[in-house]
Amino acid sequence: MTVSLDQLRRCHFAVDLGAARTRVYVKGAGLVVDQPSVAAVNTRTGSLIAVGEFAEKMTGKTPAYIRVERPVSGGTVVDIEMAQRMLRHLLGDKMRRTLRRKPRLRAAACTPHGADPLAQRATIETLVGLGARRVELVDTLIAAAVGCGLPVELPEANMIMVCGAAATQVAVLSLGSIVVAERVPVGGEAVDHAIVQHLRHEHELMLPSQAVRPLQLALSGNGLTPHGPASTEIHGRDVATGLARSVRVDTAAVRDAIQTPLTAVLDGIGRVLRDCPPDLVADVADRGIMMVGGSALLPGLDQMLREATGIPVHIAERPDVCAVQGLGAMMEGRIAPLLLDPLAA
């Protein structure tokens, strides 16, 4: 674990700055923010127009003087000032006043596995700008495993897969630490991009930025398997004429189009299992893989992984908020550390 549980218990709020969504957990109040990591700015005045869901709805629909920005990319803060402004508006004046009353305000934050010091520094600077006197960083894999209820403190293998928007992280945990981990730069955005490119090349159709998710949902619960619907209708803009057009898309072809990014995820799982000690691999084969993260809800992804690996695959009850809930559980003191009695000399 990046920091001790005692240090985390002193924290007052926790932040999970994701590429897709930002979540804030306040000690004693629970999850208070769960909004898209998007901000809309007036370029003429520099003022912030909207944040969160309303700003996301503005994507691709704004006049020239309004710019929609994403201050977080790949789990890393790329625009510290904009991330701070976005967080201030998402928290609201009342919650910010409550936090400012805390003596020596402390914060906890998730960081992707293997994040470089520059990325970690950007996260710390963002929260310091909100008034935090000290920021504790926790690996996303550890926080997500705690949040979905895995017994990470025991000497047993717990395999977890964090399916994010920009990357997928796979790890085997034991005794509260990461034994083997792999970060694959393929996430939900890569799947969206594969669908958009398929429709552009095969149907000469440009898809609106917010129409990819309805297409994924149209694949139903067995979307990545042959048992899903044969076809679905999608609306977009013709590449040649620029006019609105509807086409009936063969879902089998869409499944083939997204196999490339999903194969990279399977390769990452294979590398983790190859580098893992045999005793822990036996535990993984028995206990299975726990999937968390927003992209874990991609229809049929768990079934595809189950068939490809031969290992049981489970999806957490609320996979999208597991990381921040895990930070909250550690802050609230709901996680007991494994106590080992020192051996007598």
Side-chain angles (χ1 to χ4, degrees), residues 175-227:
L175 287 172
S177 299
I178 297 171
V179 179
V180 185
E182 185 80 23
R183 187 173 186 269
V184 183
V186 172
E189 291 176 354
V191 174
D192 294 349
H193 182 70
I195 293 175
V196 169
Q197 291 301 311
H198 167 74
L199 292 176
R200 186 182 180 94
H201 294 148
E202 298 298 324
H203 300 278
E204 297 184 350
L205 194 74
M206 290 184 67
L207 212 58
S209 59
Q210 297 181 16
V212 180
R213 290 298 172 188
L215 177 57
Q216 290 183 358
L217 296 176
L219 297 175
S220 83
N222 296 317
L224 299 182
T225 67
H227 307 295

Side-chain angles (χ1 to χ4, degrees), residues 198-199 203 219 229-232 247-256:
H198 167 74
L199 292 176
H203 300 278
L219 297 175
S231 63
T232 185
V247 296
R248 183 151 290 274
V249 179
D250 182 12
T251 52
V254 175
R255 286 196 294 270
D256 291 338

Side-chain angles (χ1 to χ4, degrees), residues 265-288:
V265 175
L266 285 174
D267 291 343
I269 293 175
R271 287 193 294 271
V272 168
L273 292 175
R274 281 196 298 272
D275 295 340
C276 193
D279 290 343
L280 294 181
V281 173
D283 283 349
V284 170
D286 182 48
R287 302 167 66 89

Side-chain angles (χ1 to χ4, degrees), residues 13-286:
F13 72 104
V15 178
D16 178 15
L17 280 168
R21 298 184 75 87
T22 293
R23 300 175 178 93
V24 180
Y25 187 104
V26 175
K27 195 172 187 177
L31 188 64
V32 297
V33 172
D34 184 3
Q35 295 278 342
S37 305
V38 187
V41 184
N42 186 329
T43 56
R44 293 173 179 171
T45 63
S47 60
L48 207 59
I49 297 174
V51 295
E53 291 180 356
F54 187 53
E56 189 174 49
K57 290 178 182 177
M58 296 167 65
T59 304
K61 303 175 183 178
T62 60
Y65 67 92
I66 296 178
R67 186 174 67 247
V68 178
E69 296 186 358
R70 292 183 175 271
V72 185
S73 177
T76 302
V77 178
V78 293
D79 188 338
I80 295 175
E81 182 184 355
M82 185 56 63
Q84 290 173 350
R85 295 174 68 185
M86 180 186 73
L87 278 171
R88 288 192 194 103
H89 281 77
L90 289 175
L91 281 170
D93 292 337
K94 183 178 178 181
M95 184 56 68
R96 282 164 51 209
R97 282 197 299 268
T98 303
L99 291 175
R100 279 201 296 264
R101 293 193 195 104
K102 307 286 186 183
R104 294 193 60 82
L105 183 65
R106 289 175 176 240
C110 291
T111 55
H113 180 73
D116 57 72
L118 205 59
Q120 294 180 2
R121 188 67 190 172
T123 302
I124 293 171
E125 290 290 338
T126 301
L127 298 185
V128 166
L130 290 178
R133 301 286 297 275
R134 184 181 174 91
V135 180
E136 310 290 357
L137 299 181
V138 180
D139 197 299
T140 302
L141 292 164
I142 297 286
V146 172
C148 64
L150 292 179
V152 294
E153 73 279 0
L154 299 180
E156 300 173 353
N158 295 282
M159 191 168 188
I160 188 165
M161 188 167 85
V162 179
C163 308
T168 300
Q169 303 173 69
V170 187
V172 173
L173 312 175
S174 181
L175 287 172
S177 299
I178 297 171
V179 179
V180 185
E182 185 80 23
R183 187 173 186 269
V184 183
V186 172
E189 291 176 354
V191 174
D192 294 349
H193 182 70
I195 293 175
V196 169
Q197 291 301 311
H198 167 74
L199 292 176
R200 186 182 180 94
H201 294 148
E202 298 298 324
H203 300 278
E204 297 184 350
L205 194 74
M206 290 184 67
L207 212 58
S209 59
Q210 297 181 16
V212 180
R213 290 298 172 188
L215 177 57
Q216 290 183 358
L217 296 176
L219 297 175
S220 83
N222 296 317
L224 299 182
T225 67
H227 307 295
S231 63
T232 185
E233 191 172 0
I234 195 74
H235 308 280
R237 190 182 77 187
D238 191 280
V239 172
T241 65
L243 300 176
R245 183 161 64 91
S246 299
V247 296
R248 183 151 290 274
V249 179
D250 182 12
T251 52
V254 175
R255 286 196 294 270
D256 291 338
I258 63 179
Q259 284 302 315
T260 301
L262 296 179
T263 300
V265 175
L266 285 174
D267 291 343
I269 293 175
R271 287 193 294 271
V272 168
L273 292 175
R274 281 196 298 272
D275 295 340
C276 193
D279 290 343
L280 294 181
V281 173
D283 283 349
V284 170
D286 182 48

